[in-house]
């Protein structure tokens, strides 16, 4: 906490004495990158949120000790948030964390989730709560065939899905492939079609049905 307080006070408006006042309000800060090695807890996240309400971009690679309650208090300050990177998570708190992001960050266009498990439950969680997304990046994620299918079939608005250093898992929970590609979708009337960025000239966009299987065949 001492380190965080010191860093934020470095941007405080006012006299030198103000920099020692815990109630002092910092200058307009729009992006913050938190070190992954910090022992980061709810009180740290809330302290930053209350003093940096104009944040539009935050990098949080240290989420294991953040609870749903702490995320709720922080997200209420960040209605202008546009980009986030967060994770790995404590899966016990993941549902509420995603819900709080969705409720409070209506302008969120891009999020990167680290060490995320894309099963059917988590896929539904993202689709139902993060409706404003235009870019979803999954880094070092474990992705099930059915979880990917659920995401593709439920997501109707245009979005790009970036799978980066992630592992696809088969029915036996064994690593099957390690894809690194962009998946994009387009709306054609009432139908949503999906395609692979690197195969755009080779692979016709397809409906969500069976598209997850196409990815498996391409990368085996």
């Amino acid at each position: 906490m001492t380190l965080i307080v010191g860093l934020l006070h470095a941007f405080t408006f006012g006299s030198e004495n103000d920099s020692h006042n815990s109630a002092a309000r910092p200058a307009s800060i729009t992006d913050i990158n938190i070190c992954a090695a910090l022992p980061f807890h709810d009180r740290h996240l809330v302290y930053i949120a209350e003093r940096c309400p104009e944040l539009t971009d935050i990098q949080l690679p240290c989420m294991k000790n953040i609870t749903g309650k702490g995320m709720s208090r922080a997200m209420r300050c960040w209605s202008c948030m546009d980009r986030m990177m967060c994770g790995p998570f404590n899966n016990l708190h993941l549902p509420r964390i995603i819900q709080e992001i969705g409720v409070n960050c209506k302008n969120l266009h891009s999020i990167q989730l680290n060490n995320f498990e894309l099963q059917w439950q988590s896929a539904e969680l993202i689709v139902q709560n993060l409706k404003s997304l235009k870019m979803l990046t999954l880094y070092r994620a474990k992705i099930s065939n059915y979880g990917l299918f659920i995401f593709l079939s439920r997501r109707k608005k245009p979005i790009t899905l970036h799978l980066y250093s992630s592992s696809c898992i088969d029915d036996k929970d064994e690593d099957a492939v390690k894809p690194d590609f962009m998946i994009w979708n387009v709306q054609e009337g009432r139908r949503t079609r999906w395609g692979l960025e690197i195969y755009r000239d080779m692979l016709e966009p397809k409906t969500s049905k069976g598209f997850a299987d196409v990815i498996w065949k391409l990368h085996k």
Side-chain angles (χ1 to χ4, degrees):
M1 180 61 84
T2 301
L3 175 61
I4 293 173
V5 171
L7 289 174
L8 292 186
H9 280 172
F11 293 92
T12 301
F13 281 121
S15 66
E16 183 177 352
N17 291 333
D18 289 336
S19 65
H20 301 289
N21 179 1
S22 62
R25 187 185 181 93
S28 177
I29 299 174
T30 58
D31 61 279
I32 286 181
N33 189 341
I34 306 298
C35 176
L38 283 179
F40 205 67
H41 295 266
D42 285 353
R43 65 183 184 277
H44 306 122
L45 183 64
V46 174
Y47 182 88
I48 291 174
E50 291 176 344
R51 287 154 181 80
C52 304
E54 297 182 20
L55 275 184
T56 59
D57 187 339
I58 190 167
Q59 312 289 303
L60 288 170
C62 45
M63 292 284 292
K64 287 186 176 181
N65 296 318
I66 301 299
T67 69
K69 183 178 180 180
M71 201 66 171
S72 175
R73 291 180 60 191
M75 288 298 105
R76 293 171 193 171
C77 302
W78 287 333
S79 60
C80 296
M81 189 66 65
D82 178 72
R83 295 167 56 88
M84 294 186 68
M85 183 270 276
C86 47
F89 302 89
N90 180 327
N91 288 334
L92 179 65
H93 303 292
L94 178 62
R96 186 174 176 187
I97 286 175
I98 296 297
Q99 290 166 4
E100 291 297 337
I101 293 174
V103 168
N104 295 286
C105 303
K106 300 297 185 182
N107 296 317
L108 188 69
H109 292 154
S110 175
I111 191 168
Q112 175 177 316
L113 303 176
N114 298 341
N115 299 89
F116 190 78
E117 293 189 11
L118 189 70
Q119 306 289 353
W120 72 267
Q121 299 99 325
S122 57
E124 285 278 14
L125 193 65
I126 293 173
V127 171
Q128 292 298 322
N129 292 279
L130 305 183
K131 297 182 179 181
S132 62
L133 283 185
K134 295 181 180 179
M135 166 70 82
L136 170 62
T137 299
L138 300 180
Y139 176 64
R140 292 184 176 176
K142 288 189 176 293
I143 303 166
S144 74
N145 187 299
Y146 189 57
L148 181 58
F149 169 72
I150 289 295
F151 178 82
L152 299 178
S153 62
R154 300 288 193 271
R155 177 73 191 198
K156 303 303 180 184
K157 294 182 179 180
I159 192 172
T160 299
L161 174 62
H162 185 195
L163 305 181
Y164 180 48
S165 296
S166 295
S167 300
C168 295
I169 54 177
D170 60 20
D171 293 335
K172 298 179 181 179
D173 280 342
E174 298 175 351
D175 287 355
V177 294
K178 292 184 179 296
D180 184 3
F181 50 74
M182 308 281 282
I183 303 173
W184 51 277
N185 69 347
V186 293
Q187 197 71 28
E188 296 181 355
R190 296 183 178 180
R191 304 183 72 183
T192 302
R193 291 187 176 274
W194 296 83
L196 295 178
E197 182 70 24
I198 60 175
Y199 293 101
R200 184 169 292 197
D201 297 330
M202 301 168 53
L203 182 66
E204 289 292 327
K206 298 178 178 295
T207 60
S208 56
K209 183 178 180 180
F211 190 80
D213 293 328
V214 170
I215 294 174
W216 259 247
K217 292 177 182 178
L218 285 172
H219 292 268
K220 281 186 177 180

